[in-house]
Amino acid sequence: MASVYEELKKQYLKSNKLYEDPKFLTNSTFLFKGGPRFGVKWLRPKELVKNPQFIADGFAYNDFDQGGLGNCWFIASVACLSASDHKEILKRIVPADQNFDKDYFGAFRFNFWQYGKWVEIVVDDRLPTYNGKLIYGCNKKNPNEFWCSLLEKAFAKLHGNYDVIDGGRIHSSLVDLTGGIGEMVPLRQEIADRDLRNILVNCSKMNSIMGAAIFNQLAVPGERELKRDTGLYEGHAYAIINIKEVNIKHSTVTLLHLRNPWGHGEWNGPFSDKSPEWNLLSQADKDATLKTKDDGEFWISLTDFRTNFDELEICHLTPDAFTEEISHNLDRSQWAVTEHYGSWVSGVSAGGPPLSFTSRKFWINPQFELSLSHANKPTTVIISLFEVDDLLRRAAEDISIGFVILKHNRVRSKPSRITAENFSEYAPRLVETSGKYWPYRERTKRYLLEPGEHIIIPCTFKAGLEAEFYLRVFAETPIDSQPVNVPKNNADIVPSSPKDTSEYAIMKAFDGIVGRDGFIDAADLVIVFQAGLEAAGEGKGFNIETCRCITGLSDIQSSKGLIDKEGVRKVWSDLQNWRKAFRLIDTDKNNAVDANELQKLFETIDFNAGPEAVAAIMKRYGGKNGKISEEDFLQCFCKTMHLFRTYKELSTGGKITMSLNQWISVGLRT
């Protein structure tokens, strides 16, 4: 199956045009709100330098310098990955078979991991500049190399725009880049030097990727990154490039090699570039470590690192490298993995934390069975819970997530689902929790669980908070893990509104019908929408042609015209707005509108369809009565919108030039 990039490549090389991304526009709404917004020009690399290169000489950890955007966390994570032995992962993220010469058409592709699958992100190569210079990330030492700037743009598109990636966590970005498991280790007084050394050295052996952060302690208004007397910056993230142990006077000292994403600004304490401590090292150790340039790179002792940094952030590429029991797991590589998708919906499945196990509210949370009944000894299990976040719609208050693990009583048979009513009867035992609820995207913990039947219950810190989640369960032995179905007419579940009920129903129907690739077709969509309509108290569903039109209009579809879960959620929301507008115009409630009403209907949904378009629609759908039904309207609106988008994408000077095959393709897709 050809990727979106390959399809675009064929289209634009044939048309001899440069690609302009219709989903990431060159206007101020896609820029960082705290930086230049007026006077910004979006230029292609060929307009900035004479001989642009995508990748000049491989990937180096010091290629990427931070610009006028607070995304040190992302740039530090790329530096960490570039400095690691996992260049093959970076090649997957940044495919090297792209350039500004052969087959150049103004677009570049990148791959990111998102909640269990790799997704391709295609961007055009127009980059924001001010006074002829790039305003965000770039390679300062080699201005002709552009993989860093374009990767940053692709990451911004993945999450919505440049503004939403201003501020974040290193481990969160590393998970997006690798699909690994994130872990955060608190520093300062929370950990001893010996324990920290064991974590650093063993994780380094396992090729885990690491970074570090200093929190903003002073919280000065308008200032997020404040320089300390030590030369380090508060509110800033650093990449850990290397860890080295050196001998000084018959003792061993652990040194960390760090890099500031700015490319300047360094630690000025012991083992800084010109400190006297270097004279205590052997010449071999000194030659292997010491640099004296202000390039943002520096060495720092483990003790100074622990006392000056607030958090060590780690991304393990396999569960084997988790810090607990790590020295015993260095040879373990095969893990059983299961994954689940779910959602917390207010009044339906967002019951909040376990304040009381006799509370009906808590038990409406999603439940997942975890069977270790075949194990004959305690089993190491890693549970990783993600909030599927949308940075564009980030809530004013971040959602804190967590989970609890209960174990069924062996004496009694287990019920189909634990509820407030049967809790006392079956008496499942609380065996583990995720600990403190965190307002971060990922919550991951390792446990040693006894053989038997367990229940995992993901939940939020407060009841009623809505979000989707992605749950991964790793175990060192084969396991059986599956969602617990919500029984019909469950007294615990009281939907808060018809909208909540219908959306929950379509998501549940989608989960029940989707294949392993995560997509469904129009025939499946008929079934999914029928579930939503029935949940909202409507009997009649949509026919397959309507669902084909809706799928064809979706922004989130595969090259085969299939649609994924997020696409279904979005078109369902759009569908409700279109139907509401239709019924607003259909004042006599006869499920039909004439040409004048159709014109008003288009105006209501803010779509400027001229009289020619309305006349063509009425000719196609109006029949002898000159009126169209709601479902006819949905079909014609989808087709009209698709044609409009195609025109906006391909038109030059108000005209479109296309081949016969392109014309047929557009006609069939509508």
Side-chain angles (χ1 to χ4, degrees):
M1 182 175 65
S3 69
V4 172
Y5 174 82
E6 293 299 333
E7 291 179 350
L8 288 171
K9 185 176 179 179
K10 291 178 184 178
Q11 176 185 341
Y12 279 86
L13 288 178
K14 188 176 293 185
S15 67
N16 201 28
K17 293 180 181 179
L18 293 180
Y19 177 64
E20 294 184 357
D21 192 345
K23 298 178 183 177
F24 201 92
L25 306 179
T26 55
N27 60 45
S28 61
T29 60
F30 287 83
L31 296 172
F32 170 44
K33 293 178 182 177
R37 292 169 65 79
F38 303 101
V40 171
K41 291 185 178 181
W42 296 71
L43 302 176
R44 299 184 189 269
K46 288 191 173 186
E47 297 173 299
L48 287 168
V49 297
K50 286 186 178 180
N51 298 303
Q53 295 176 288
F54 183 55
I55 303 171
D57 188 21
F59 303 108
Y61 67 81
N62 55 359
D63 280 352
F64 207 162
D65 295 302
Q66 185 179 353
L69 178 64
N71 64 339
C72 55
W73 58 289
F74 172 66
I75 294 175
S77 69
V78 175
C80 294
L81 192 56
S82 301
S84 76
D85 294 330
H86 301 294
K87 295 295 191 297
E88 72 282 356
I89 297 179
L90 201 52
K91 290 177 182 177
R92 180 177 191 171
I93 302 163
V94 186
D97 60 341
Q98 309 176 89
N99 55 61
F100 292 96
D101 302 315
K102 183 182 178 182
D103 293 341
Y104 168 74
F105 65 101
F108 289 82
R109 74 187 188 280
F110 301 87
N111 297 297
F112 299 98
W113 185 89
Q114 287 287 282
Y115 311 110
K117 60 185 178 181
W118 287 88
V119 296
E120 179 187 69
I121 299 295
V122 179
V123 293
D124 65 40
D125 61 349
R126 296 176 296 175
L127 297 167
T129 69
Y130 189 78
N131 290 334
K133 294 184 178 180
L134 294 171
I135 59 178
Y136 301 140
C138 63
N139 186 338
K140 291 179 181 177
K141 72 179 189 299
N142 184 0
N144 281 39
E145 185 178 61
F146 285 91
W147 73 266
C148 299
S149 301
L150 292 168
L151 173 64
E152 181 182 53
K153 181 177 182 180
F155 192 70
K157 180 179 177 179
L158 175 72
H159 291 293
N161 56 46
Y162 282 108
D163 189 64
V164 297
I165 63 170
D166 177 66
R169 317 289 294 214
I170 295 176
H171 80 280
S172 183
S173 174
L174 283 170
V175 170
D176 283 345
L177 295 171
T178 67
I181 299 175
E183 182 181 14
M184 292 183 289
V185 179
L187 300 175
R188 296 189 183 271
Q189 307 304 317
E190 301 291 326
I191 191 170
D193 280 357
R194 183 179 63 180
D195 295 333
L196 178 58
R197 178 199 170 276
N198 289 338
I199 291 174
L200 290 168
V201 172
N202 285 320
C203 285
S204 181
K205 288 179 182 178
M206 292 294 292
N207 291 316
S208 295
I209 308 165
M210 295 178 279
I214 302 175
F215 300 154
N216 192 331
Q217 305 290 347
L218 298 178
V220 177
E223 295 288 341
R224 293 181 305 173
E225 295 169 315
L226 300 173
K227 186 176 182 179
R228 291 178 174 174
D229 294 338
T230 59
L232 300 175
Y233 284 81
E234 291 189 5
H236 199 46
Y238 293 78
I240 297 177
I241 305 302
N242 195 11
I243 296 165
K244 186 174 179 63
E245 298 198 303
V246 297
N247 294 316
I248 298 178
K249 293 182 178 180
H250 309 294
S251 65
T252 301
V253 176
T254 304
L255 298 179
L256 286 80
H257 180 192
L258 274 67
R259 181 177 187 266
N260 184 337
W262 293 343
H264 62 86
E266 302 175 9
W267 161 253
N268 58 27
F271 291 101
S272 59
D273 286 359
K274 298 180 180 179
S275 76
E277 284 78 10
W278 290 108
N279 297 323
L280 303 175
L281 270 65
S282 68
Q283 191 60 45
D285 282 340
K286 189 174 180 179
D287 291 343
T289 52
L290 179 61
K291 290 182 180 180
T292 57
K293 294 192 300 182
D294 182 17
D295 53 4
E297 297 181 35
F298 59 89
W299 290 86
I300 187 172
S301 72
L302 181 142
T303 300
D304 284 329
F305 172 75
R306 177 180 62 78
T307 56
N308 283 275
F309 284 78
D310 291 291
E311 197 168 69
L312 171 66
E313 302 196 41
I314 310 172
C315 180
H316 306 289
L317 299 187
T318 65
D320 307 68
F322 233 60
T323 55
E324 299 175 38
E325 305 174 331
I326 187 169
S327 59
H328 304 293
N329 288 339
L330 295 181
D331 296 326
R332 185 181 296 150
S333 59
Q334 300 300 317
W335 289 75
V337 183
T338 60
E339 58 182 5
H340 307 286
Y341 298 86
S343 59
W344 295 293
V345 179
S346 179
V348 176
S349 58
L355 300 178
S356 169
F357 285 132
T358 58
S359 166
R360 287 187 172 186
K361 187 178 290 185
F362 171 70
W363 295 108
I364 71 173
N365 282 306
Q367 300 180 23
F368 297 88
E369 292 180 350
L370 172 61
S371 176
L372 301 173
S373 57
H374 299 296
N376 55 16
K377 63 178 182 179
T379 300
T380 299
V381 175
I382 296 173
I383 298 175
S384 183
L385 175 67
F386 287 81
E387 176 198 349
V388 180
D389 58 0
D390 183 341
L391 297 185
L392 270 178
R393 296 193 292 268
R394 180 187 283 166
E397 179 184 1
D398 287 332
I399 295 178
S400 295
I401 63 173
F403 53 86
V404 299
I405 307 172
L406 296 99
K407 186 174 185 295
H408 278 295
N409 189 334
R410 283 194 175 194
V411 178
R412 305 188 62 89
S413 61
K414 65 177 183 178
S416 60
R417 181 183 178 89
I418 297 295
T419 67
E421 284 76 14
N422 65 27
F423 177 79
S424 297
E425 178 184 356
Y426 290 98
R429 177 168 53 91
L430 176 66
V431 292
E432 295 287 358
T433 75
S434 57
K436 182 180 178 181
Y437 288 79
W438 286 9
Y440 305 137
R441 181 180 70 163
E442 179 185 3
R443 191 73 174 99
T444 300
K445 293 275 286 185
R446 172 190 287 256
Y447 306 99
L448 195 63
L449 298 181
E450 296 289 334
E453 304 291 333
H454 297 75
I455 315 159
I456 304 170
I457 305 179
C459 51
T460 57
F461 180 63
K462 294 180 182 178
L465 296 178
E466 294 193 331
E468 291 187 3
F469 63 81
Y470 167 64
L471 178 68
R472 288 192 288 183
V473 182
F474 299 83
E476 60 180 338
T477 60
I479 58 173
D480 180 20
S481 179
Q482 57 188 354
V484 176
N485 291 326
V486 180
K488 293 182 179 180
N489 303 320
N490 190 333
D492 285 345
I493 299 178
V494 183
S496 59
S497 72
K499 176 182 179 297
D500 289 337
T501 307
S502 59
E503 185 169 319
Y504 176 77
I506 67 166
M507 292 297 98
K508 184 179 177 183
F510 180 95
D511 291 338
I513 205 170
V514 69
R516 300 187 71 176
D517 62 352
F519 290 89
I520 63 173
D521 61 15
D524 295 328
L525 197 60
V526 172
I527 300 170
V528 171
F529 280 169
Q530 181 66 47
L533 291 169
E534 288 178 356
E538 300 182 53
K540 184 182 177 182
F542 301 119
N543 64 43
I544 191 169
E545 183 60 30
T546 301
C547 290
R548 285 173 180 151
C549 294
I550 292 170
T551 303
L553 185 63
S554 172
D555 293 330
I556 309 173
Q557 58 174 304
S558 72
S559 59
K560 287 186 175 181
L562 309 179
I563 188 169
D564 67 6
K565 190 171 187 177
E566 182 58 30
V568 171
R569 184 190 299 277
K570 185 177 185 303
V571 295
W572 178 257
S573 176
D574 290 341
L575 201 58
Q576 304 316 303
N577 292 330
W578 302 337
R579 298 178 73 208
K580 183 178 179 181
F582 182 93
R583 294 171 185 182
L584 183 68
I585 298 300
D586 180 23
T587 55
D588 57 5
K589 308 302 178 185
N590 66 348
N591 192 39
V593 295
D594 60 22
N596 291 330
E597 289 174 322
L598 181 61
Q599 186 69 57
K600 291 179 182 177
L601 179 51
F602 278 128
E603 292 171 1
T604 300
I605 57 180
D606 199 24
F607 182 75
N608 185 22
E612 298 90 348
V614 171
I617 291 169
M618 296 306 299
K619 184 176 180 181
R620 170 71 183 271
Y621 294 97
K624 62 182 180 181
N625 296 324
K627 293 190 175 184
I628 66 173
S629 68
E630 180 183 291
E631 190 156 12
D632 288 336
F633 163 70
L634 294 175
Q635 289 185 24
C636 75
F637 179 70
C638 288
K639 293 179 179 183
T640 305
M641 276 297 296
H642 182 77
L643 291 169
F644 174 76
R645 289 179 180 178
T646 302
Y647 172 81
K648 293 293 287 185
E649 182 178 347
L650 300 180
S651 65
T652 303
K655 295 182 179 180
I656 291 180
T657 301
M658 61 172 58
S659 66
L660 174 61
N661 286 335
Q662 287 176 317
W663 174 253
I664 293 173
S665 175
V666 170
L668 290 174
R669 286 183 63 187
T670 57

